[in-house]
Amino acid sequence: MGSDLISILTQAGQSLGAHRGAAATASQNIANVNTPGYSRQIANLAANTPTDFVGNTFIGSGVQLQSVTQARDAFLERQMQSAFSSSGFSSTESAALTSVSALDPDDANGLTAALGTFYTSLRGVAQNPSDTGLRQAAVSAAQSLAQTFNRTSTALEQARDGVDANMAGIVADVNQSASAMAALNVQIQQSRVTGAEPNDLLDQRQQLQDKLATLTGATPVLDAQGDVAMALPGGADLVGALRAGQLSLAPDPNNGGHLTVNLTRADGTGPVPLTSAQLGGNLGGALSARDGGLLTAKNGIDQMAFDFANTINAVHSAGFAADGTTGHQMFTVSATASGAASSLTVDSALVANPALLAAASAAGASGDNKNMLALVNTESTALSTGADVSGTFQDLVTSFGAKSALSKAISDQDSGMVDHLTQLRESTSGVNLDEEMVNLTKAQRAFEAVSKVITTADSMLDTLIGLKS
Amino acid sequence: MRVSDKMFYDLATKNALDARDRVLTASQEAATGKRVTSPGDDPSAAGLIVRDRTQLIRLDAINQGAGRANDELSMADSNLQQLSNVVTRARELAEQLSNDSYSAAERGNAVAEVNTLFNQALSLMNVDFNGRYIFGGTKDNQPPFDASGNYQGDTNVRQIEVAPGVLEDSSVRADVAVKGVGGGADLFATLNSLSTALGANDGSGIRAAFASLDSVNQQVGNALAKVGASMDAFDAAQSIAASTKLTTTKTLSGEQDADVFEATSNLALANHALDATLTASAASFQMSLVDKL
C-alpha cells in the first residue's frame, strides 16, 4: 500500500488530539498548583507504530497520547507515613503537656508559694502562740494551702479531661477518613477496570493515608489488587481493602472515667479495646500525655498531699490546743493517696476555732510553742518520696518539666522531619508553573505546527485534484 | 533539586511562622525578664527555682520571727535595766538608813519610798508587750507576779528558730532573776522585810537586806547578760538570713532570669530575621514565566 495524502490528514488529526491532551495535562497541573496532595501529572507522548511501508522503508504515522502518569516517589511516601505518625504523636503529647501551668515554679498562687506561706504562718505562731491573730493567720494559710493542693490537682485533672475532649474530635475524624478511604478503594478498583490509572483518586487516597497515619499511626498495606488497607500499630485493621473499621470511645471506670478507644474491625467484629501500644499518631500522643506525664504528675501531687497532711496531723494531734485539749487534726485527708490532693481540707473544728491549733506540748501554758516548733520542723521531714515536702515538689516539677521539654524537643524534631520529607515529595510531585508554562507553550507550538501540516496536506490535495481540470 | 511553586509558598509560610515564634519568645523574655516560666522551659532550673523560692520564704519567716523576738528582748532588757536601778536605789536607802543615828521617824518616812520601789519593780516585771506578758515563761497570758510579788508564771524559757532546726532562747526566767529560785534572793520578800524593818526602826533588820539586795542585783545582772546574748544571737540570725537571702536571690535570678542585654539583642536579632524572611519571601514570589510570556 502506498503512502497517500489522506493518511497524512488522518494522522495529523490524531496528533492534534495528542498535543491537545498534553496541553490539557499542563493546564490540569497549572490549575492544581495549590491543591493539597496533588501529584503533578505527565502526558506521555509516543510515536505511533508505523504501518506505511513505502519502497523499502516504514513511514511514521504520527503521535499518540500513550498515558498520563503521576510523578511520585513510592520510597519517599513510605517514609512519610512513619514521619506523620511520630509527628502526630509527639505534637499532641507536647501540646497537652505544655498547656499545663499548674506546676509553674514561679506561680504566685502555686504550691511553692502556698507551702511557704503556711510555714511562715506556723513560725509566726511559734514566736507567739498566745496571739490569736497569728493563730487565725496560720489557719487561713492552712486553708489556702489545702485549696492550692485542690486547685493544682484539679488543673491536672482538667488537662486530662481536655485530652479526652480532643480524642473525641480525633476519633470522629478517623472514622470519617477511614470510611472515605474504603470508598475510594472501591472507586479506584472500578476505575481500573478500564485499564487507566485514576490519578486524582490516587492523590485523594494518598492524602487520606497521610491523614490516618497522622491521626492514628496506621501504616498502609498494599494488596495484590492494588487496594490499600490501613493497619494500626500492632496489626489491627483500621481500613480493610473495601470496608472501614470504626473507632469508638467509652469511659474506663478503672481510669477515673477517662475514655478508652475501642475498635470495631473492618469485618464488623468487635468492638475490642485498644491499648496505648496499639495506637500511634495524635491518638497515641493524647493517650501518652493523659496516662503518662499528666497522670504521673497528678499522682505525685496526690501522694505529696497525702504524706504531707498525715505528717502534719501526726505532729499536730500530739500537741495541745490553747484550751488544753489534745488529739486535734489539722487536715482532713482521704484514707488513701488516691485523690488526696483534690479532697484535702482543713479540719472544720479548727477552722471554726483557731484556738484549737496545737502549739503547746503540754496543757496549760499559753506561751508554750514546743509543738509549733515541731510542726515547723516537719518542713524538713522526709515524705514517702525520701525528700522533704519542698524537695518532693521540686522533684515533681523537674520530672514533669523534663517530660514536657523532651516531648517538645521530639515534636520539633519530628515536625522538622515531616517538613523535610514534604519538601522532598514536593520536589518530585509538586507543580512548577514555569515548567508547566513551557509544557503548555510546547504543546501549543506543536499543535500549531500540526495544524500547518493539515493545511499543507489540504493544499497538496487541492493541487492533485486541480491536475484533472 | 527540582523546585515546585508550592515549595516557595510552604517555605515562606514556615519561615515566617518560625521567625514570628522567635520574635514572640524573644519579646516575652525581654519584656518579663524571665527565662523560665514553665517547667518545660528548663526542667532542672524549674526544680531549683522551687527550692530557692522555698528557701527565700523560709529566710523571710526566720528574719521576721527573730525581729519580733528581738523586740521582746529589748523590752525585757530595758525593764531589767530599770529593775536594776530600783534594786540599787533600795540598796542605797538600806545603806543610808542602816545607820542607827537615824530616828524612828526618819526611818518611817522611808517606808513609803521602799513601798513605791516595790510597786515599781512589780510593774516592771508585769510588763506586757503587745498583750503578752514577757516575764512569765510560757504562761504569757497573765501577769507573772501577783500584788504580793508571788510568781505565777512557769519555769520554761521560750525558744524560737534562728535557723531551720536551731533554737535560741527568746525569754529569761524572771523567777530566777527576781525570786532567786535555785539559790538566790527574793527581791519582793527583801523589799517587804526592808519596809517592815524601817517601819519597826529595826537597824539589824535593815542591815539584813544588804546581802539579799546585792544578790538580787547580781541575779538581774545575769539575766541582762542572757538577754544580751540572745539579742546578739537573733541579730546574727537576721544578718545571716539577710546575706543568705542575697545569695539565694542571686542564685534564683541566675536560674530564672534572662540576661537583659542578651534578651534585648535577641529581640533585635529576631526582628531582623523576620524582616529578612519577609523580604526574601516577597522577592521569591515575583519571578514567574507567566509574566514573561
Side-chain angles (χ1 to χ4, degrees):
Chain A
M1 194 174 86
S3 172
D4 59 53
L5 287 170
I6 299 295
S7 79
I8 295 178
L9 279 178
T10 314
Q11 51 169 272
Q14 211 178 24
S15 301
L16 275 184
H19 294 302
R20 195 184 46 78
T25 304
S27 119
Q28 161 81 346
N29 284 340
I30 290 169
N32 283 293
V33 64
N34 287 334
T35 308
Y38 179 80
S39 299
R40 134 180 100 95
Q41 299 180 2
I42 302 163
N44 298 302
L45 297 179
N48 282 330
T49 320
T51 49
D52 221 2
F53 194 72
V54 178
N56 57 354
T57 189
F58 285 107
I59 305 263
S61 56
V63 68
Q64 63 164 329
L65 182 61
Q66 197 178 43
S67 62
V68 177
T69 53
Q70 291 181 301
R72 290 173 66 165
D73 184 338
F75 172 69
L76 213 55
E77 280 168 3
R78 188 67 203 211
Q79 284 185 70
M80 290 195 73
Q81 301 284 320
S82 75
F84 279 131
S85 166
S86 20
S87 170
F89 186 99
S90 56
S91 65
T92 306
E93 183 179 39
S94 159
L97 293 183
T98 47
S99 69
V100 173
S101 65
L103 297 177
D104 285 358
D106 214 23
D107 185 357
N109 303 310
L111 268 176
T112 312
L115 274 168
T117 311
F118 175 71
Y119 277 107
T120 298
S121 72
L122 292 188
R123 285 192 164 90
V125 178
Q127 198 274 321
N128 186 357
S130 49
D131 188 317
T132 50
L134 290 174
R135 281 173 175 266
Q136 183 60 59
V139 171
S140 302
Q143 280 180 294
S144 152
L145 175 59
Q147 282 159 6
T148 307
F149 266 117
N150 301 160
R151 217 174 33 236
T152 307
S153 163
T154 310
L156 290 168
E157 191 56 29
Q158 276 168 350
R160 298 184 74 213
D161 288 340
V163 172
D164 279 342
N166 187 16
M167 278 167 63
I170 298 172
V171 161
D173 212 356
V174 169
N175 287 339
Q176 202 224 342
S177 304
S179 307
M181 187 159 167
L184 269 174
N185 270 335
V186 174
Q187 269 182 288
I188 288 168
Q189 218 176 54
Q190 287 166 351
S191 305
R192 276 183 172 149
V193 172
T194 62
E197 280 295 287
N199 291 329
D200 299 299
L201 295 182
L202 293 179
D203 281 345
Q204 286 178 33
R205 186 172 69 184
Q206 183 61 45
Q207 264 195 291
L208 288 171
Q209 264 174 250
D210 293 350
K211 190 168 175 187
L212 284 172
T214 308
L215 292 171
T216 65
T219 46
V221 183
L222 192 66
D223 71 9
Q225 287 80 45
D227 300 319
V228 179
M230 294 297 286
L232 291 172
D237 264 357
L238 176 61
V239 179
L242 304 178
R243 278 194 295 186
Q246 292 281 297
L247 296 183
S248 56
L249 294 167
D252 180 0
N254 297 322
N255 191 10
H258 287 288
L259 301 174
T260 180
V261 183
N262 294 319
L263 169 69
T264 307
R265 295 193 194 89
D267 61 9
T269 57
V272 287
L274 295 173
T275 64
S276 58
Q278 289 174 292
L279 286 165
N282 296 144
L283 269 182
L287 283 175
S288 172
R290 191 192 71 186
D291 299 339
L294 291 173
L295 183 61
T296 310
K298 181 178 175 286
N299 287 343
I301 294 288
D302 274 341
Q303 188 66 48
M304 176 180 161
F306 181 75
D307 291 343
F308 169 75
N310 282 316
T311 306
I312 292 281
N313 278 347
V315 176
H316 190 261
S317 61
F320 288 78
D323 61 4
T325 56
T326 183
H328 301 291
Q329 305 283 313
M330 183 181 276
F331 291 107
T332 306
V333 61
S334 55
T336 60
S338 169
S342 58
S343 64
L344 191 70
T345 53
V346 175
D347 183 68
S348 54
L350 182 61
V351 172
N353 181 13
L356 293 184
L357 201 64
S361 60
S366 58
D368 183 354
N369 67 352
K370 289 207 174 62
N371 201 53
M372 199 44 69
L373 289 174
L375 278 173
V376 168
N377 245 337
T378 58
E379 195 175 23
S380 48
T381 304
L383 304 183
S384 70
T385 52
D388 61 26
V389 60
S390 155
T392 301
F393 187 59
Q394 179 186 342
D395 292 348
L396 265 172
V397 168
T398 306
S399 69
F400 182 79
K403 276 207 188 78
S404 159
L406 178 65
S407 79
K408 170 97 173 46
I410 294 179
S411 167
D412 288 348
Q413 198 181 325
D414 285 349
S415 93
M417 188 68 189
V418 166
D419 285 343
H420 175 64
L421 289 173
T422 308
Q423 291 281 24
L424 286 181
R425 175 154 90 175
E426 264 299 309
S427 175
T428 306
S429 305
V431 175
N432 180 309
L433 286 177
D434 297 338
E435 183 184 11
E436 298 307 328
M437 289 311 292
V438 170
N439 284 342
L440 193 62
T441 312
K442 203 161 75 179
Q444 185 197 2
R445 288 291 174 205
F447 190 90
E448 282 168 8
V450 172
S451 307
K452 205 75 188 170
V453 169
I454 293 175
T455 32
T456 309
D458 185 40
S459 110
M460 284 164 81
L461 267 175
D462 270 355
T463 311
L464 209 57
I465 291 162
L467 281 179
K468 284 192 173 175
S469 56
Chain B
M1 185 159 112
R2 187 180 169 276
V3 176
S4 76
D5 281 64
K6 196 158 169 291
M7 284 165 80
F8 272 118
Y9 295 103
D10 286 351
L11 198 68
T13 313
K14 183 182 176 313
N15 286 343
L17 287 178
D18 284 356
R20 283 211 188 272
D21 181 48
R22 279 194 292 273
V23 170
L24 183 73
T25 312
S27 84
Q28 224 167 20
E29 257 191 46
T32 62
K34 293 241 160 76
R35 186 178 66 84
V36 181
T37 47
S38 75
D41 293 341
D42 184 345
S44 61
L48 294 177
I49 291 170
V50 168
R51 186 200 60 187
D52 291 338
R53 274 175 50 96
T54 306
Q55 168 84 339
L56 281 179
I57 297 170
R58 185 185 292 149
L59 289 170
D60 273 342
I62 287 176
N63 193 24
Q64 205 173 36
R68 285 197 197 128
N70 247 350
D71 292 346
E72 283 182 11
L73 283 170
S74 64
M75 179 101 208
D77 184 65
S78 138
N79 280 26
L80 285 171
Q81 297 275 12
Q82 291 180 53
L83 185 71
S84 175
N85 295 342
V86 166
V87 175
T88 309
R89 175 66 191 146
R91 178 71 169 81
E92 273 169 19
L93 270 176
E95 181 87 49
Q96 187 187 350
L97 295 168
S98 65
N99 193 328
D100 286 337
S101 63
Y102 282 95
S103 68
E106 282 165 330
R107 282 179 169 165
N109 287 341
V111 169
E113 187 176 353
V114 171
N115 288 347
T116 308
L117 289 175
F118 181 98
N119 288 335
Q120 252 183 36
L122 198 61
S123 75
L124 283 171
M125 286 295 99
N126 278 348
V127 69
D128 71 305
F129 183 77
N130 290 338
R132 180 182 207 193
Y133 294 96
I134 57 176
F135 284 115
T138 57
K139 272 197 177 175
D140 57 1
N141 56 345
Q142 59 179 38
F145 294 93
D146 67 8
S148 336
N150 296 315
Y151 185 63
Q152 296 172 314
D154 60 22
T155 58
N156 294 321
V157 174
R158 297 191 305 273
Q159 292 186 308
I160 67 159
E161 264 185 326
V162 282
V166 184
L167 302 178
E168 175 62 41
D169 293 353
S170 62
S171 70
V172 284
R173 282 184 63 177
D175 57 336
V176 173
V178 177
K179 300 292 282 182
V181 170
D186 179 348
L187 171 65
F188 293 114
T190 308
L191 289 177
N192 268 333
S193 53
L194 178 61
S195 163
T196 312
L198 284 169
N201 194 18
D202 173 5
S204 63
I206 295 170
R207 280 184 287 278
F210 290 177
S212 298
L213 286 173
D214 284 345
S215 169
V216 169
N217 226 347
Q218 184 64 45
Q219 289 158 214
V220 173
N222 288 344
L224 274 167
K226 272 189 186 151
V227 168
S230 290
M231 285 173 78
D232 280 350
F234 286 116
D235 279 342
Q238 280 186 299
S239 76
I240 290 171
S243 68
T244 315
K245 197 177 162 185
L246 206 66
T247 324
T248 311
T249 311
K250 211 169 133 190
T251 318
L252 181 63
S253 161
E255 284 148 3
Q256 113 179 329
D257 292 350
D259 181 321
V260 183
F261 297 109
E262 200 183 316
T264 323
S265 82
N266 278 347
L267 179 59
L269 204 65
N271 275 326
H272 273 303
L274 176 60
D275 186 39
T277 304
L278 295 178
T279 312
S281 299
S284 73
F285 294 158
Q286 282 168 359
M287 299 297 280
S288 173
L289 187 57
V290 179
D291 300 328
K292 315 277 176 186
L293 282 172

